Amino acid sequence: ALTPSNMYAAAIYWSITTITSVGYGDISPRNGDEMLICTFYIMLGSCIWAYIIGNVCGIMSTLDVEGIEHNQTMDALNVFVHDRGFDQALCRRLRAYLQNSKELAKAGRYKEITQRLSPQLQGEVSRESTAWVKKLWFLTSASTEFFVEVANQINGGVYEPGERIEWANSLFSVGKGVASRDGRVRVRGCYWGEDMILESFELKNPHSAFALTFVEILTLSRDALFDVLEDFDAERQQVRRACVKMACRRGILHCAKLIMERTRKLGTRRDLDNIWNEEGKSTARRPADGIPMMDWDHLLSD
């Protein structure tokens, strides 16, 4: 008999089966009790299925945290350029820049992971990540602890093609991409600016570099390096010796350049004494440059 309880059981069964998209199938309950039992197991199966799907979605959404953050940044950029009404050429440049700086955003997270490691593991990781620093001829024998501290002082930046990489009193290295400086192509692992250890700006090469592609530049400032050297006596002595050698070599070249420029202007040998007294001698006697007395006849003959 069709009782109110059977009607409610049928209604609940029909609604749950429809909402959960289970389907009615070839085998169906015949009375109210069977409908209630089927409804209970359908609800139980739906909860289990929803739990599984939720966990799978949670795992998938956390596989690439940096990628999610990057996509959110790109979405924010799209809203920004749309609200400001920028032209399409500038929009494309902005999107290309953020797209190529994605790897740089990971560096901050990698640094946090490295700091949570043991000192020995930090040293091994730092030696791998700062391999370009170890290429410096005056830091080849530096300790592992020194490289760990140096790695924490390295910063990065991204430049678009054709952009000038301004000179600073820092050590530069190409982390990704291609750049050029002084007519030489610089690829990943190449560095310049090692003359930052000198005190005299006259002996440094202040030429800027240029990005040929989207390039990631890693920098280590002079102040940061010397702050680290305060705690490492052996490495500080190595850098000091390298500074003296570099100052002597570049000081001699700088003095010779001044002499040649003046001789080209004057064009006579009888003014050699004036050249020595006015420029060459004053430059050579500076302790920072370390230039010894020169044989002028031999220098000009060469």
Side-chain angles (χ1 to χ4, degrees):
L2 185 61
T3 62
S5 60
N6 289 337
M7 293 178 61
Y8 279 109
I12 293 174
Y13 170 76
W14 176 84
S15 60
I16 295 299
T17 303
T18 303
I19 292 174
T20 57
S21 68
V22 171
Y24 303 99
D26 298 330
I27 302 175
S28 301
R30 297 298 182 180
N31 53 57
D33 295 335
E34 292 178 355
M35 291 180 183
L36 291 176
I37 294 174
C38 288
T39 301
F40 171 77
Y41 281 108
I42 288 173
M43 292 291 295
L44 180 62
S46 300
C47 292
I48 295 174
W49 178 247
Y51 177 79
I52 295 173
I53 294 297
N55 279 275
V56 172
C57 293
I59 294 172
M60 295 297 294
S61 63
T62 56
L63 287 177
D64 187 8
V65 178
E66 291 80 8
I68 296 173
E69 293 178 354
H70 175 73
N71 292 334
Q72 293 175 347
T73 303
M74 295 295 294
D75 293 339
L77 174 66
N78 292 332
V79 174
F80 171 68
V81 298
H82 177 73
D83 291 343
R84 297 294 182 178
F86 294 159
D87 61 87
Q88 292 298 320
L90 179 59
C91 293
R92 286 193 294 269
R93 289 176 57 193
L94 293 174
R95 294 189 184 99
Y97 179 85
L98 288 183
Q99 189 67 33
N100 286 272
S101 62
K102 179 180 178 180
E103 294 297 325
L104 186 62
K106 297 181 180 180
R109 183 172 178 84
Y110 294 159
K111 186 178 292 186
E112 294 178 359
I113 294 175
T114 303
Q115 291 176 351
R116 299 179 61 181
L117 301 176
S118 65
Q120 181 177 354
L121 291 177
Q122 286 185 20
E124 295 179 6
V125 172
S126 298
R127 277 188 174 274
E128 293 295 328
S129 59
T130 59
W132 60 275
V133 179
K134 193 176 180 181
K135 293 180 181 179
L136 293 172
W137 56 274
F138 51 85
L139 291 178
T140 54
S141 59
S143 63
T144 301
E145 293 77 9
F146 174 78
F147 284 110
V148 172
E149 296 299 327
V150 168
N152 294 328
Q153 302 298 327
I154 294 176
N155 298 310
V158 177
Y159 298 83
E160 66 174 346
E163 187 173 357
R164 178 191 295 270
I165 305 172
E166 295 293 345
W167 178 87
N169 200 17
S170 303
L171 179 66
F172 296 84
S173 176
V174 178
K176 182 181 179 182
V178 183
S180 66
R181 184 174 187 263
D182 292 338
R184 298 179 60 184
V185 176
R186 311 293 179 128
V187 295
R188 181 175 183 178
C190 295
Y191 63 89
W192 66 89
E194 63 274 17
D195 54 5
M196 68 166 183
I197 61 176
L198 299 175
E199 294 184 2
S200 175
F201 282 90
E202 295 180 356
L203 302 181
K204 298 182 180 183
N205 182 0
H207 294 168
S208 301
F210 292 89
L212 300 181
T213 64
F214 277 99
V215 59
E216 177 186 350
I217 299 296
L218 306 176
T219 59
L220 175 64
S221 67
R222 185 180 190 274
D223 294 337
L225 175 61
F226 277 83
D227 287 341
V228 174
L229 289 173
E230 290 295 329
D231 299 326
F232 297 90
D233 293 334
E235 285 76 8
R236 185 169 64 253
Q237 294 176 6
Q238 294 176 14
V239 173
R240 179 56 184 168
R241 286 194 294 268
C243 182
V244 173
K245 292 180 181 178
M246 189 181 298
C248 292
R249 182 167 56 251
R250 296 200 176 190
I252 293 173
L253 295 176
H254 179 69
C255 184
K257 182 179 179 180
L258 293 176
I259 295 172
M260 296 303 296
E261 289 178 353
R262 180 58 65 87
T263 52
R264 280 197 297 267
K265 293 179 180 179
L266 298 179
T268 59
R269 285 188 63 150
R270 64 174 178 267
D271 296 313
L272 190 57
D273 292 337
N274 294 331
I275 298 172
W276 165 250
N277 293 327
E278 293 176 6
E279 293 184 14
K281 189 174 182 181
S282 60
T283 304
R285 285 184 174 178
R286 288 189 298 176
D289 297 340
I291 303 177
M293 300 290 288
M294 297 181 179
D295 184 353
W296 302 108
D297 293 333
H298 176 70
L299 176 62
L300 292 179
S301 63
D302 291 340

